[in-house]
Amino acid sequence: MPLHIDNCVRRTLQDFPWKRRARFFLGRILLSLLPERGRKVAAHPFADNLAPIDKILRNGLYARAFLENDFVTLRHYLANYWEEQAHHFHADWDDRFDRMFVAHDQVIAVPLQAILTKQSPGPHPPELYEIGCGGGQVLDYLSEHLPQISRFYGVDLSSEQIAQNKKSFADKKQLSFVAADAMKWIPENAKPNSVLLSNGGVFEYFLESELRTLFTCLASLNGPTTIALVETFGADHNLATERDSLVYGRELSFSHNYPELLKSAGYTIFHQTERTGFDEDGGGRWIRLVAHKS
């Protein structure tokens, strides 16, 4: 199958479509003319009602961060998108649960069930934490299929989405929703004998260093830990030879070598499969992983 350029790794500017390169060029010129306005846009690049000139500046900011290999700044821009625009995304893509998870990715529940069934009871009843829970449908689904889990937590940056989830699932006492930065909330609240979940392309918005820290933190808890993920990554990212994370795709998010990250943190891969994305999502390459540390 031919690679879709929208989902490939970006190593140089030549890896972008020419229209994107043109927007980058215009944005960089405008940044040199309006540096102060550029700094204001950089603080909130995805604020609602952004003026057309500010959107051009945003392209320049992205180009500068990419050319300087400034992954931290790219991470800030990606986080701001989810803080400011998550409610629009979830409203526009409210079919993702049925079209993606139920149709193709619910298979991760099978190895999760197998691990939890074999796991010896510990001092803490198992809990599950989903990073980037969106509308909460996956969390609700798993609460009905993983009876060993005592409580399910959905963590998301969007306070508006979390407020909606609390209303939608008010009768589901096993479910809790938290508006927070998961990279801070999980290490502070995670218990041993629990499960970490990401689904639908969440970890691509975090730095490699953040994932290494998170996986290692959970592995250090006094008890077994399981990590389950359904993530997208670069269509041409060679997991056998390219261990480091790379910038990829339309959003300039991060293509991570998930098997390598998990193994280096001490986990054993229990389940690993890949699938191709859907045309309406621009194709892409997806990996489904379940890893466990006793």
Side-chain angles (χ1 to χ4, degrees):
M1 179 178 291
L3 296 179
H4 196 301
I5 191 172
D6 280 347
N7 302 295
C8 288
V9 171
R10 311 304 192 190
R11 295 176 174 85
T12 71
L13 284 179
Q14 297 305 311
D15 292 327
F16 292 89
W18 71 267
K19 289 184 179 179
R20 188 74 180 273
R21 295 201 303 269
R23 291 197 294 269
F24 282 168
F25 178 74
L26 290 174
R28 292 170 69 193
I29 291 176
L30 200 57
L31 270 180
S32 67
L33 299 174
L34 301 172
E36 183 57 34
R37 185 158 185 162
R39 280 190 285 271
K40 291 180 180 179
V41 173
H44 299 281
F46 288 97
D48 280 330
N49 303 316
L50 209 63
I53 191 172
D54 294 328
K55 292 181 180 179
I56 298 174
L57 286 167
R58 184 173 67 198
N59 275 294
L61 292 166
Y62 262 95
R64 183 168 67 190
F66 174 77
L67 289 169
E68 295 177 356
N69 289 318
D70 187 351
F71 286 13
V72 172
T73 295
L74 288 176
R75 158 70 159 99
H76 162 68
Y77 297 159
L78 294 166
N80 183 251
Y81 171 80
W82 288 107
E83 289 168 356
E84 303 278 0
Q85 302 296 326
H87 56 291
H88 295 308
F89 175 88
H90 294 306
D92 293 341
W93 297 88
D94 60 356
D95 64 335
R96 279 167 58 94
F97 171 67
D98 291 318
R99 179 168 55 80
M100 297 176 68
F101 185 80
V102 173
H104 296 276
D105 299 325
Q106 61 171 311
V107 295
I108 65 167
V110 177
L112 274 177
Q113 179 71 267
I115 289 172
L116 291 167
T117 299
K118 294 179 181 179
Q119 195 164 285
S120 300
H124 303 284
E127 296 180 342
L128 185 147
Y129 316 103
E130 183 183 6
I131 295 181
C133 63
Q137 298 98 324
V138 172
L139 206 65
D140 183 42
Y141 174 93
L142 292 176
S143 73
E144 297 177 356
H145 289 79
L146 299 176
Q148 300 92 338
I149 302 292
S150 64
R151 195 158 191 85
F152 297 78
Y153 291 89
V155 187
D156 202 285
L157 280 175
S158 173
S159 56
E160 184 175 344
Q161 183 64 59
I162 290 298
Q164 180 60 51
N165 291 353
K166 289 180 178 180
K167 293 179 181 178
S168 300
F169 297 102
D171 61 330
K172 299 293 184 73
K173 302 305 179 185
Q174 274 187 297
L175 305 186
S176 296
F177 295 97
V178 182
D181 181 342
M183 290 299 166
K184 296 178 181 177
W185 191 90
I186 298 290
E188 292 173 356
N189 293 276
K191 296 180 175 64
N193 204 35
S194 295
V195 177
L196 176 71
L197 169 71
S198 76
N199 171 71
V202 174
F203 282 156
E204 64 176 306
Y205 303 108
F206 294 97
L207 297 169
E208 176 184 335
S209 59
E210 292 178 296
L211 295 186
R212 287 190 182 278
T213 299
L214 178 65
F215 295 162
T216 301
C217 172
L218 293 173
S220 69
L221 295 177
N222 187 25
T225 302
T226 303
I227 295 178
L229 57 88
V230 179
E231 289 290 339
T232 181
F233 62 112
D236 56 342
H237 189 161
N238 189 330
L239 298 183
T241 61
E242 296 178 305
R243 297 187 173 188
D244 294 336
S245 299
L246 305 166
V247 174
Y248 90 111
R250 288 168 289 185
E251 299 174 286
L252 276 68
S253 52
F254 305 113
S255 177
H256 300 296
N257 191 324
Y258 294 103
E260 171 63 23
L261 289 174
L262 289 164
K263 290 176 184 176
S264 66
Y267 294 85
T268 299
I269 304 298
F270 196 84
H271 171 91
Q272 178 176 337
T273 54
E274 289 189 26
R275 68 169 175 82
T276 302
F278 305 97
D279 289 340
E280 53 264 52
D281 299 320
R285 185 179 173 197
W286 292 78
I287 189 167
R288 296 170 292 205
L289 276 172
V290 177
H292 181 72
K293 186 178 186 302
S294 301

